[in-house]
Amino acid sequence: MQELRDAPLAPLTTFRLGGPAARLVTATTDAEVVAAVREADADGTPLLIVGGGSNLVIGDKGFPGTALRIATRGYELVGTRLELAAGEVWTDAVARTVEAGLAGVECLAGIPGSAGATPIQNVGAYGQEVSSTITEVVAYDRRTGETVALTGEECAFSYRHSRFKADPERYVVLRVRFALEDAGGLSAPLKYAETARALGVEPGDRVPLADARETVLKLRAGKGMVLDAEDHDTWSAGSFFTNPILTDADFAAFHARVRERLGDAVEPPAYPAGQGHTKTSAAWLIDKAGFTKGYGSGPARISTKHTLALTNRGAATADDLLELAREVVAGVREAFGVTLVNEPVMVGVEL
C-alpha cells in the first residue's frame, strides 16, 4: 500500500476542491482495503473511503483521519455475468460491456466514478439504474469484521439510495456482480423519452448497443456531464441535488405554489414514485426559482449547460460552493415550499 501524509485530496475529486487528509492510503487489492479499514477501526481513526471522487464535497479544512483510496482492478465476464472490482473505472467498464454485446448498463455510460460507488448511490441515468442488474455486492462489514456477500434484494435499493447509504459507516464495497442481457447486440428497452427521441425511436424500443451508448454520451456531454479537464462545467459532482419525492399532500401544496407563481397554465414535472408519492424535477425547480444556467458571479457557479450542476470555475473553495448551494436551496424553498437535498457526500461540512 502507498501511504502519504498531509496529502491533497482535491485532485482526487471531480470538484477539485477541499483540504488535505492527515493520511492517504492507496489500496490496490481487496486484502489491502480490508487491512487498512481494520487498522483504522482498531485505532479509532476516522476513515474516509475515496473511489473516483465524483460524489464528494470535502471541506476546506480537509480530513483529520485516514483517507483510503480504493484503486483495485478486476473485470471478469463469464457469459452474461459480470464482476467488477470496486476500483474499476465505471465508464470504462460500461464501454467494455457494450463491446461484448451485453445490455443492461449501456445508458449509464459517461457517469464518472468507480464501480464500487454504484450500488451505494444506486447510480442511475437515462432510464436505467444499477439496481436492475446488480445481483450481489461483496463488502467488508466493519461491524462484524467479516467479508459478506449481499444479494440485490438485501441491498435495499431505492431511488439514489441503498442499504450502504443508509448505514455509511458499516460497509466497504469490494466487488459488484451484475447479470446482463444478451439481446443479440441490442440495448435494453429504452425507458427515457429524451434518449428515444434522440435515437428516432419510441420508448420501449431496442437499438444497437453502441448507438445507445454514443447517444447517451452526447446527451451527457451537452449538459457538461462527461468529464473534461478543459471544461469547467464538468468540475462538478454531476447532479448536486436529488429529484424531490413528495407525498400526495405535499405535491398538491407544491402544485398550488406553482400556479400562484407561474400561472394556471404551467404544469410542473410529475412522475409516479410509488403509492401516494410523486417525483418532480430538481432542475426544473432550480430554473423556475430564478437560478438559471450560468447563475452566479463568484468562483462557484451553476453550470452553463445544466441547472442541476454546481461547478468550480477554477479557483473555488468548498465554502464558495456551499454558499451557492445554500442560496439555491433557500430560493427553491421560498418559491415552491420544497427543500432540495444534496446528492454528493459531505465531508467535514454541512449544507
Side-chain angles (χ1 to χ4, degrees), residues 1 23 25-27 30-43 45 47 49 66-69 140:
M1 286 188 289
R23 177 173 177 254
V25 173
T26 299
D30 290 354
E32 289 181 350
V33 172
V34 171
V37 175
R38 283 178 171 163
E39 179 187 359
D41 288 348
D43 295 342
T45 302
L47 182 67
I49 305 298
T66 295
L68 172 59
R69 180 170 174 257
Y140 176 67

Side-chain angles (χ1 to χ4, degrees), residues 9 48 55-60 62-64 344-350:
L9 291 178
L48 171 65
N55 202 43
L56 285 178
V57 177
I58 297 173
D60 294 321
F63 185 69
V345 175
M346 301 287 175
V347 178
V349 289
E350 293 181 358

